[in-house]
Amino acid sequence: MIFAAGLGTRLRPITDTMPKALVEVDGKPLIEHVIEKLCSAGFDHIVVNVHHFAGQIVDYLRTHDFGIDIKISDESDKLLDTGGGLRKAAPLFDANEQILIHNVDILSNADLDKFYHEGPLTANYGSGSTIDASATLLVSWRPTKRYLLFDEDMRLVGWTNIETGQVKSPYRWLREFAADSPTTFTTIPDHHDDIEVEHRLLGYGHVRLRALAFSGIHCIAPRLISRMERYPDAFPIIDFYLDNCSTSLIKGYEQPDLNLVDVGKIDTLKRIQHK
């Protein structure tokens, strides 16, 4: 699935007259870059959600033949955010296959074939058997304002904003530690070491967490989408992952050599266009 419904507010004034998906880099719209990358990784069924200047994206896809099946999830009436958008599009996918999700404004060297087929696999987790994760998030180390927090098994346990020290987590021990030691989560850009956190429940002592940046690329098993029924029409997918990471296996998959450009900002777009 390609998330292409956003308003593209950070790319204004360009997106005052066109959707972000059709903004060009190296002579090609962003959506074409992403579709070609998905095709080269072996994907032959893609769903694109649309809202902002939806007709322009639909017309573009109708007049360009990529040789694969591309369906539209129409959010013209109401923008549903990433979580609501995925829930609406879910019936367009095979209920027995993981869904790979890719933001339209992300250009990267991500190995999507390897990520899709190997990322969700988790050997000897808990019961000792190999299982598929309910969701797998492609992550890497890079300086940013917001990080996902993972335990030593790369299981998602929380999120932090280093500018404010805010931490979101379903785990009480992590929330309590963040409240008492907020500076722990405001110095992350200075290092790439594990973060030592005191686990104050059940005698665990200390645990080590890793702070990694989300790429906007992830896989989700359809069985996890059923939990979205209780959510409002529009909601962010990251908030959904954080709500459910204590009861479902939601893991990070690190690609150490990941080179990624988020073209969602006007200064980034200008920089890469003038290289």
Side-chain angles (χ1 to χ4, degrees):
M1 180 171 184
I2 300 175
F3 282 151
L7 300 175
T9 53
R10 295 178 299 165
L11 282 176
R12 287 178 174 164
I14 298 173
T15 49
D16 287 338
T17 56
M18 67 187 304
K20 177 168 56 176
L22 297 185
V23 172
E24 291 193 354
V25 173
D26 293 335
K28 293 191 294 189
L30 287 170
I31 195 167
E32 184 172 338
H33 283 282
V34 176
I35 291 175
E36 288 180 347
K37 186 169 183 64
L38 289 167
C39 288
S40 67
F43 293 92
D44 57 11
H45 174 71
I46 297 175
V47 174
V48 180
N49 70 336
V50 295
H51 172 81
H52 186 56
F53 292 111
Q56 291 186 31
I57 300 177
V58 172
D59 289 343
Y60 175 82
L61 294 175
R62 185 181 295 125
T63 56
H64 291 72
D65 184 9
F66 293 96
I68 60 170
D69 178 34
I70 300 179
K71 288 185 168 56
I72 297 295
S73 181
D74 191 351
E75 299 176 25
S76 297
D77 293 340
K78 184 177 184 179
L79 185 61
L80 300 176
D81 210 326
T82 48
L86 174 60
R87 179 177 57 192
K88 178 179 175 65
L92 300 175
F93 291 98
D94 186 332
N96 299 310
E97 298 287 345
Q98 291 257 351
I99 302 168
L100 184 139
I101 302 164
H102 198 301
N103 288 359
V104 77
D105 55 5
I106 296 298
L107 302 178
S108 76
N109 67 339
D111 187 338
L112 297 182
D113 179 53
K114 182 176 182 181
F115 171 64
Y116 181 79
H117 290 100
E118 297 183 13
L121 299 178
T122 304
N124 300 321
Y125 194 93
S127 64
S129 60
T130 299
I131 61 173
D132 287 348
S134 293
T136 311
L137 318 181
L138 183 63
V139 294
S140 65
W141 167 253
R142 69 178 189 276
T144 185
K145 297 178 182 178
R146 300 171 184 86
Y147 289 93
L148 295 174
L149 302 173
F150 300 90
D151 67 13
E152 294 172 347
D153 295 318
M154 285 298 285
R155 184 166 188 162
L156 180 67
V157 296
W159 169 97
T160 185
N161 181 325
I162 61 162
E163 286 193 335
T164 64
Q166 179 188 12
V167 170
K168 294 180 182 179
S169 174
Y171 294 99
R172 193 177 86 194
W173 57 267
L174 181 53
R175 297 195 306 271
E176 289 179 349
F177 178 85
D180 292 344
S181 307
T183 57
T184 299
F185 299 98
T186 57
T187 57
I188 290 173
D190 298 330
H191 59 79
H192 186 199
D193 300 325
D194 292 347
I195 307 164
E196 187 169 288
V197 174
E198 184 180 352
H199 194 318
R200 299 174 182 176
L201 301 179
L202 304 177
Y204 275 93
H206 289 76
V207 297
R208 303 193 72 83
L209 302 182
R210 300 190 66 197
L212 295 164
F214 181 44
S215 66
I217 303 170
H218 43 127
C219 286
I220 186 170
R223 66 178 179 274
L224 188 59
I225 298 175
S226 63
R227 295 194 182 188
M228 295 179 174
E229 293 180 0
R230 62 184 176 87
Y231 285 76
D233 290 345
F235 61 95
I237 190 70
I238 288 296
D239 285 357
F240 172 76
Y241 286 150
L242 291 168
D243 286 347
N244 289 275
C245 66
S246 62
T247 54
S248 288
L249 177 52
I250 299 173
K251 56 175 284 195
Y253 178 92
E254 184 178 12
Q255 182 175 319
D257 64 342
L258 184 65
N259 291 318
L260 180 147
V261 178
D262 179 350
V263 195
K265 298 179 181 179
I266 196 73
D267 57 338
T268 305
L269 178 62
K270 290 179 178 179
R271 186 171 67 249
I272 64 175
Q273 284 179 333
H274 289 87
K275 279 189 175 182

